Amino acid sequence: MKQLSKILVAILLLSNTLLSAQNRSEAEIDHKIDSLLALMTLEEKVGQLTLFTSDWDVTGPTIRANYKNDIQSGRCGNIFNAHTAKYNRELQRIAVEETRMKIPLLFGYDVIHGYKTIFPIPLGEAASWDLAAIEKGSRIAAIEATAAGLHWTFAPMVDIARDPRWGRIMEGAGEDPYLGSLIAVARVRGFQGDDISANNTMLACVKHFAAYGAAQAGRDYHTVDMSERMLRDQYLSPYKAAIDAGAYTVMTSFNEYDGVPATGNSFLLRDILRDEWGFKGFVVTDYTSINEMIPHGIVANEKEAGELSLNAGVDMDMQGAVYYNYLKELLKENRINMVQIDQSVRYILRTKYLLGLFDDPYRYSDEARQQRLLLAPEHQEAARDVARKSIVLLKNDKNTLPLSKSVKTLAVIGPLADNKTELKAAWSGAGEDQHSVSLLTGLKDKLGNGVKINHAQGCDFEGTDKSGFKAAIDLAKKSDVVIVAVGERASMSGEAASRAHITLPGVQSDLIKELVATGKPVVVVLMNGRPLAIPEIDAIAPAILETWFLGTQAGPAIADVLFGDYNPSGKLPVTFPRNEGQIPIHYNMKNTGRPMDPNNKYTSKYLDSPNTPLYPFGYGLSYTTFTYSDIKVNKEVFTPREELKINVTVSNTGKRDGEEVVQLYVRDLVGSVTRPVKELKGFQKMMLKAGESKEVTFTLTANDLKFYNRQMNFTYEPGDFELFIGTNSADTKSRKVKLVE
Ligand code: GLC
């Protein structure tokens, strides 16, 4: 029998090479998969549902020592955290030459914002509002990662996040469903390209499904509790957009939804993902999230957890070894069935076919490509370009910026002034410190020997030690301008990195105050993974740049903006609160029955803080100025069968060319349920030369006004709407229109 099955497998593999993946029809792929399934043992099938980490780069709390034996026995069909062409080729060789079925391994890795060339953190890239640049960054990440033996990235992370205490806010696209959905699509297109069988495209993985960003109190892994209406209206659209864009995989989130952990939640994984959205790819868990349903208190043991997950629609178990250990028993006890197992195996094998792995399992492990493509010059230029575009100018009193290149002496101060370690931030893939360019180096490269640049760290990120202040202040007093680079360590955001206080850590604020007290012009350069509450700094610093963590090309990009070689165009994708007490605070909140009235005590406000944020969603300044005309519409009253054309003229009234992100918001004034005071429904990023004016047109239809009504139907309702157009969510022109039946 063994000899016969070997011959059959050989025939099957031979037939596989006759047709390459992209020419194969679904029917042909189904036929191939049926033939494989017919030959596979139960252990081999469960092996395809098993994902283990390599021992190179652990991103979670546990590690399995014998993953190579698991590959050899056919009991592990997928590996993550293994990378480089050479290493992955060796692991793949074990799978396709030493196992009975010779099914290729799938290699996954967290390529979140770059593989070797590190791009700005996703929250920073979102601030560019430049979908083409974001797609290009993901495209380059895929080119580098697939040259290093990888087929699958655990990205994009599309979790809507409205709590800056949550460390993973750095990993997504901020607070807004509309912007988040467009960015999700750009990232999926970047990773997967037009042909998933090409050797420079990779599977995307939409995560974390669902609503992980709504963790209570911003504390990672905490409970998520929201209505189905809130889930559907505010949190699901980026996941759906990514799946509609063709994402091949989805990752479940650690959190519960409506009392059931996502990893065991059939409402999410079957009713919504499969039945409503028609998802055809496979679902992978997050790291041991099946096992974690025990502490969630929804199952008593791992066997029950495995039963709940498979029945809920989970196809692949990441690192938990629950399917590995219990599916056989569960099958024997008829608590699951072979149809379910075969369906999950089918989803995974189909993906491997589509990648072309059955045609050539080594096609992604090409050392020559890896040598040529990693850190390629064109990748550095692209990284520098999107980094520049991600920078947000938060304040610029008296046109402190841009600085003049004829400045004589520059003081560059702060823990991030000459730091390369933090720039790549959390989730920095295979990025290495030595490839990053610090701010100090970026400035020296730009200014050459013509400018005297003095550097002092001044203080550390944390602690109360101010012994470095004096040297820093002495340098500042001897300089024409002071640049102070402050913020967070990379480890202060990302996974398991929530902060209860979102001010500048340590004594950095005190350092800024003493530098400002010298009377020299001080430019604050922030490097951080979340919105920071810095009202004191905003009150005294003449200029503030939000630069997030910009990755490999951080230094040159910041220097480009500081000295005006690039006019900053970034806009905040997330609200910056004045203090933690305001959280959650985001632009698209409800009006309430007692909206804030400063003259009426009994309205919604604080005794000790304004309601308004420090900086609103969509906010960002430029080195030039823009004005907006009043809004014109093609009709005051429109029907569901008509298009509403909305025009405004934007003028660059300054002396510099600059880009503006013109934003369109809408408010549904009366609905069958209460509606947000604003919702982003469009934006256009455009270059305007000094003195130039452009007419901007937005088109809306009734379909753009849909929401989940009182009966939970996704529909629009006739009535009055208010349109807002402006340079950010708070500074807008408005006018009303009416939708009639
Ligand atoms: C982590 C993260 C997830 C990541 C996975 C693999 O716990 O939650 O985003 O993709 O494990 O590293």
Side-chain angles (χ1 to χ4, degrees), residues 59 80 110 154 168 207-208 251 254 286-287 318 427 495:
T59 54
F80 68 115
D110 291 286
F154 302 135
R168 299 195 78 164
K207 70 184 186 182
H208 304 80
M251 182 185 294
F254 289 122
D286 201 339
Y287 200 108
M318 178 191 282
W427 295 117
E495 184 174 358

Side-chain angles (χ1 to χ4, degrees), residues 152-451:
W152 179 28
T153 177
F154 302 135
M157 184 276 220
V158 302
D159 305 323
I160 293 291
R162 294 168 168 175
D163 191 326
R165 293 170 293 186
W166 190 50
R168 299 195 78 164
I169 197 168
M170 56 74 65
E171 205 177 332
E175 71 189 44
D176 181 68
Y178 179 87
L179 178 62
S181 299
L182 292 174
I183 289 175
V185 171
R187 289 195 183 286
V188 169
R189 290 170 48 83
F191 290 129
Q192 297 190 165
D194 298 327
D195 174 7
I196 198 63
S197 72
N199 69 356
N200 65 0
T201 57
M202 67 195 312
L203 305 173
C205 182
V206 188
K207 70 184 186 182
H208 304 80
F209 193 64
Y212 178 29
Q216 285 178 345
R219 204 178 79 210
D220 207 0
Y221 315 123
H222 205 340
T223 305
V224 166
D225 188 7
M226 65 175 71
S227 66
E228 183 181 340
R229 174 174 286 108
M230 172 63 81
L231 175 76
R232 288 181 178 276
D233 257 345
Q234 299 294 324
Y235 284 83
L236 286 187
S237 51
Y239 304 107
K240 183 175 189 306
I243 284 155
D244 290 348
Y248 280 94
T249 73
V250 168
M251 182 185 294
T252 64
S253 55
F254 289 122
N255 59 282
E256 68 173 64
Y257 170 71
D258 198 20
V260 180
T263 306
N265 193 311
S266 59
F267 169 68
L268 293 176
L269 302 180
R270 290 199 188 284
D271 301 353
I272 293 181
L273 191 59
R274 298 284 184 194
D275 299 347
E276 285 185 32
W277 295 354
F279 177 59
K280 294 278 183 287
F282 71 79
V283 175
V284 62
T285 71
D286 201 339
Y287 200 108
T288 66
S289 59
I290 295 179
N291 317 60
E292 292 167 19
M293 293 202 284
I294 298 169
H296 266 295
I298 193 108
V299 291
N301 53 55
E302 288 189 348
K303 188 170 167 183
E304 283 182 23
E307 177 184 14
L308 178 59
S309 288
L310 193 78
N311 287 324
V314 167
D315 302 303
M316 190 185 287
D317 171 5
M318 178 191 282
Q319 191 59 13
V322 174
Y323 285 7
Y324 178 96
N325 288 323
Y326 296 102
L327 284 196
K328 194 170 183 178
E329 276 177 59
L330 288 165
L331 189 65
K332 231 180 255 163
E333 296 164 14
N334 293 318
R335 293 160 65 176
I336 59 169
N337 61 59
M338 187 58 91
V339 170
Q340 289 169 305
I341 292 176
D342 284 352
Q343 179 57 74
S344 293
V345 176
R346 182 180 296 283
Y347 285 137
I348 292 159
L349 290 181
R350 175 175 176 272
T351 309
K352 293 184 178 183
Y353 265 113
L354 292 173
L355 275 170
L357 291 178
F358 282 96
D359 304 324
D360 174 5
Y362 300 113
R363 63 207 315 260
Y364 292 84
S365 293
D366 178 339
E367 291 192 76
R369 270 189 75 228
Q370 181 177 261
Q371 180 63 32
R372 188 175 75 252
L373 292 171
L374 269 51
L375 297 167
E378 62 271 25
H379 297 174
Q380 303 317 302
E381 191 38 51
R384 181 169 176 170
D385 179 54
V386 71
R388 283 191 293 252
K389 291 174 175 172
S390 303
I391 294 172
V392 182
L393 178 59
L394 297 177
K395 187 177 179 187
N396 191 22
D397 281 358
K398 306 189 197 71
N399 290 319
T400 304
L401 291 173
L403 301 176
S404 161
K405 290 176 185 169
S406 59
V407 67
K408 291 281 174 285
T409 312
L410 206 51
V412 186
I413 311 285
L416 282 151
D418 190 26
N419 183 300
K420 297 161 70 123
T421 309
E422 312 302 334
L423 302 178
K424 61 185 192 303
W427 295 117
S428 52
E432 298 170 66
D433 296 352
Q434 73 262 24
H435 299 134
S436 290
V437 183
S438 74
L439 173 57
L440 184 64
T441 304
L443 289 167
K444 287 179 175 173
D445 291 349
K446 177 174 286 293
L447 299 171
N449 301 324
V451 179

Side-chain angles (χ1 to χ4, degrees), residues 162 177 229-230 232-234 586-593 666-681 702-710 713-718 720-722 724:
R162 294 168 168 175
R229 174 174 286 108
M230 172 63 81
R232 288 181 178 276
D233 257 345
Q234 299 294 324
H586 45 93
Y587 86 92
N588 42 4
M589 301 189 93
K590 301 292 188 70
N591 200 40
T592 80
V666 178
R667 179 179 179 182
D668 185 346
L669 292 170
V670 178
S672 59
V673 293
T674 57
R675 310 284 294 115
V677 294
K678 279 195 182 87
E679 292 182 286
L680 182 69
K681 292 291 181 184
N703 285 332
D704 298 313
L705 307 174
K706 286 184 172 181
F707 65 102
Y708 285 85
N709 70 2
R710 183 83 62 84
N713 297 320
F714 187 57
T715 184
Y716 51 79
E717 295 175 347
D720 294 319
F721 291 81
E722 191 160 11
F724 305 87

Side-chain angles (χ1 to χ4, degrees), residues 57-75:
D57 177 356
V58 173
T59 54
T62 60
I63 177 171
R64 291 178 58 83
N66 58 344
Y67 64 85
K68 283 187 182 176
N69 303 339
D70 288 328
I71 295 171
Q72 215 156 34
S73 63
R75 297 194 65 198

